[in-house]
Amino acid sequence: MLTASRSKIEPGKLLINGEWVDASTVFITFNPATGEALGEIADAGPAEIDRAVAAARAAFDDPKSKWRSMSASERGRLLWKIADLMERDIEELAELETLDNGKPIFESRYVDMPMAIDVMRYYAGLATKIYGETVNTQSSAFTYTLREPIGVVGAIVPWNFPLLLTTWKLGPALACGNTVVLKPAEQTPLTALKFGRLCQEAGLPAGVVNIVTGGPQTGAALVKHAGIDKIAFTGSTSVGKEIMRNAADTLKRVTLELGGKSPNIVFADSDLDSAVKGAFNGIFYGKGEVCNAGSRLFLENSVKDEFLAKLVDRAKKLKPADPLDPKTRLGAIVSEQQLKTVMSYIDAGKSEGAELLAGGNRVSVDGGNGYFLEPTIFGGVNNDMKIAQEEIFGPVLATLTFDDLDQVADLANRNIYGLAAGIWTNNVKKAHALARRLKAGTVWINTYGPMDAAMPFGGFKQSGFGRELGAHAVEHYTELKSVWMAL
Ligand code: NAD
């Protein structure tokens, strides 16, 4: 029997101007571990989007609004208070995330939620450290710049790290003084709704954070809305392109955190056991539904056999299991649709002639209908195969081989994406030389995947543009105004 949830799931309403309201239609959010409905969620249409944008506009535009008249220090304290409330309710938040997404409670409780809280605190502290500058121009002028909030931010979030990625956007947006209309992913709206309640409890003024649940149409309506000044999007590259096109008419500011097919490169002179662990977690952590998953593993030919034997052995011991069980390390794929997509890539790998070394099958956990998949490893992959080029977004690893640094730099870069990369070697010169050559927003050396609220994250190439986390995010949530005064 799968663990029963302790959380009471209330029907999801929309948060507009500080009030929870119904929409004219609803959709269902499912538990991927059972395939069963978790609850009804309001499906925001154009009328609700209009109202949410109007509320965010009023909270931003009215110079007398509580938000506009609030000092940076007070804004920071509000963000900190939200973080405290998240910490108070961390068990509930973690459980909701696991129920909705299928990720192990171990990950929600000990990785996603602590980092989400930390991100809120990082931006709470940053609120008072957003500066303009005085500029030396002419002796007859006093010239300076102001960093001002952009206005109303439309934040559109995917299902893989629902609350964590919400904080990546709302933390800096609010710290900089913007107001927000948030659209969570239709597969995983529960933690965003709980977050909305915590924002209210913390005392965030009405209209500063509005939450509109719904699917692609709700997102598209936000992107096209003339009342939105900036879209902060995380999701797939194909939707990112559509968002850029749809945002063009109103010339909205856009930041895009998109897909990846990140190379994880192992040299023979690395600590192989650490590299095996890094390769394993790089693809199977988060069920591989991770934008920066190390989904292309490059092994130096001389260690390929030894490495793969260890990796495959480890993968065969990893069994998908009940996500609410604290011992589980591989949960359920987020949806039936995503399971089908991942299975179609496994079929493609087989038909293109790659060698299936581990996994490849859907499995039943406790006799149920959840969307569980074995950890899957392909060997004998060449860089032109579909499974080496396209983002699978599941626990499926493509392994390739190389002979030297030049060759692997070229192979690693021959892909449309450029989100992240890993390098495993004990040769310092080689590590840094390759780090410079890889076209990736983040390069990890002798580790794979760590993140910090202070460290910028984002993509090169078709993995998007703009940076989230760290102080650089401020550039994407402010406008720079030049003020020129004759003396
Ligand atoms: P998706 O692009 O299908 O959906 C993401 C969000 O966009 C959802 O909220 C969805 O409702 C909304 N949406 C869909 N169509 C839209 C449209 N036309 N206009 C506006 N909004 C629209 O992505 P997904 O399947 O939910 O998430 C997986 C993708 O996200 C992967 O490609 C992954 O790599 C990427 N991702 C990237 C990062 C990063 O930081 N670079 C992080 C996590 C996930």
Side-chain angles (χ1 to χ4, degrees):
M1 273 285 283
L2 294 171
T3 312
S5 117
R6 290 163 300 172
S7 301
K8 183 168 172 284
I9 292 163
E10 291 165 15
K13 299 189 179 214
L14 311 172
L15 179 59
I16 298 180
N17 206 21
E19 289 178 6
W20 292 97
V21 297
D22 289 315
S24 47
T25 53
V26 295
F27 65 94
I28 304 288
T29 185
F30 291 92
N31 178 352
T34 59
E36 287 162 9
L38 283 166
E40 282 186 353
I41 306 291
D43 193 0
E48 286 93 13
I49 298 282
D50 277 346
R51 282 165 52 207
V53 175
R57 278 249 72 93
F60 184 79
D61 284 339
D62 180 356
K64 293 203 195 69
S65 86
K66 278 191 193 156
W67 185 241
R68 283 310 290 261
S69 52
M70 199 179 272
S71 68
S73 165
E74 284 175 291
R75 279 205 308 273
R77 267 179 283 157
L78 258 178
L79 293 191
W80 197 279
K81 180 103 189 276
I82 295 170
D84 283 347
L85 296 175
M86 291 165 76
E87 196 157 54
R88 181 196 69 191
D89 292 349
I90 193 167
E91 305 294 342
E92 183 188 349
L93 283 166
E95 183 167 297
L96 289 175
E97 203 77 299
T98 284
L99 284 172
D100 231 3
N101 168 283
K103 65 174 70 197
I105 190 77
F106 168 77
E107 294 181 9
S108 316
R109 173 64 183 80
Y110 296 105
V111 183
D112 289 35
M113 295 309 139
M115 189 179 180
I117 293 163
D118 202 44
V119 169
M120 292 304 284
R121 291 200 173 126
Y122 178 86
Y123 287 107
L126 201 63
T128 47
K129 292 151 202 85
I130 297 166
Y131 305 115
E133 53 203 354
T134 53
V135 187
N136 264 332
T137 52
Q138 301 166 1
S139 57
S140 61
F142 171 41
T143 40
Y144 62 94
T145 61
L146 293 172
R147 275 218 172 264
E148 298 184 345
I150 297 176
V152 179
V153 173
I156 303 178
V157 180
W159 44 258
N160 60 339
F161 292 91
L163 187 59
L164 180 58
L165 296 179
T166 297
T167 62
W168 287 23
K169 294 175 170 31
L170 270 59
L174 298 175
C176 294
N178 300 281
T179 59
V180 178
V181 180
L182 164 69
K183 195 204 85 67
E186 56 275 29
Q187 298 85 350
T188 54
L190 295 179
T191 47
L193 297 172
K194 167 77 185 169
F195 180 83
R197 290 195 287 278
L198 296 181
C199 288
Q200 288 184 301
E201 189 181 340
L204 202 68
V208 175
V209 169
N210 304 275
I211 302 177
V212 289
T213 40
Q217 284 179 345
T218 306
L222 262 189
V223 174
K224 290 178 189 163
H225 203 292
I228 300 259
D229 300 300
K230 180 215 158 94
I231 291 289
F233 173 75
T234 299
S236 60
T237 291
S238 62
V239 173
K241 290 177 185 177
E242 196 180 330
I243 284 180
M244 233 175 127
R245 284 191 286 268
N246 285 338
D249 279 343
T250 44
L251 272 188
K252 286 184 176 62
R253 280 80 186 109
V254 176
T255 41
L256 301 173
E257 297 285 359
L258 309 176
K261 189 75 184 176
S262 300
N264 199 0
I265 299 164
V266 181
F267 287 96
D269 60 9
S270 63
D271 173 348
L272 281 196
D273 287 331
S274 300
V276 168
K277 201 169 156 209
F280 177 87
N281 288 328
I283 186 64
F284 299 129
Y285 181 84
K287 310 165 260 164
E289 294 167 349
V290 178
C291 52
N292 55 264
S295 50
R296 280 189 298 159
L297 178 66
F298 288 94
L299 300 173
E300 190 164 352
N301 256 316
S302 59
V303 289
K304 179 195 89 173
D305 292 337
E306 179 189 350
F307 193 96
L308 275 180
K310 290 183 178 187
L311 185 66
V312 166
D313 181 52
R314 236 185 135 120
K316 286 186 171 163
K317 288 182 185 139
L318 177 68
K319 304 286 178 206
D322 177 4
L324 282 173
D325 182 336
K327 294 193 291 301
T328 295
R329 295 294 181 268
L330 184 66
I333 302 297
V334 71
S335 63
E336 190 169 17
Q337 176 57 42
Q338 185 64 14
L339 180 74
K340 280 187 188 146
T341 304
V342 178
M343 292 301 299
S344 76
Y345 277 108
I346 293 174
D347 290 342
K350 289 182 196 160
S351 62
E352 280 179 308
E355 187 189 352
L356 187 62
L357 301 175
N361 301 303
R362 181 179 181 174
V363 289
S364 171
V365 168
D366 293 335
N369 295 320
Y371 314 129
F372 294 94
L373 185 61
E374 289 174 326
T376 299
I377 300 177
F378 279 105
V381 178
N382 82 50
N383 204 40
D384 297 324
M385 287 181 184
K386 208 170 156 170
I387 57 166
Q389 285 299 319
E390 296 183 16
E391 183 181 48
I392 300 175
F393 224 55
V396 181
L397 180 67
T399 55
L400 302 90
T401 56
F402 68 95
D403 290 310
D404 59 43
L405 188 147
D406 285 334
Q407 185 195 15
V408 79
D410 176 54
L411 286 171
N413 285 334
R414 268 205 275 129
N415 190 274
I416 61 165
Y417 296 109
L419 192 56
I423 300 171
W424 298 83
T425 175
N426 281 326
N427 180 325
V428 177
K429 280 191 193 171
K430 202 195 275 181
H432 291 294
L434 183 55
R436 287 190 182 197
R437 285 178 62 174
L438 293 174
K439 293 182 180 134
T442 296
V443 177
W444 287 291
I445 299 173
N446 293 336
T447 183
Y448 199 93
M451 294 201 179
D452 192 280
M455 194 71 173
F457 184 81
F460 282 27
K461 301 195 281 182
Q462 293 193 32
S463 291
F465 47 77
R467 289 293 176 272
E468 295 194 305
L469 302 180
H472 289 281
V474 167
E475 291 157 28
H476 302 296
Y477 287 94
T478 52
E479 294 280 15
L480 197 59
K481 180 181 281 178
S482 298
V483 183
W484 187 296
M485 184 184 180
L487 291 178

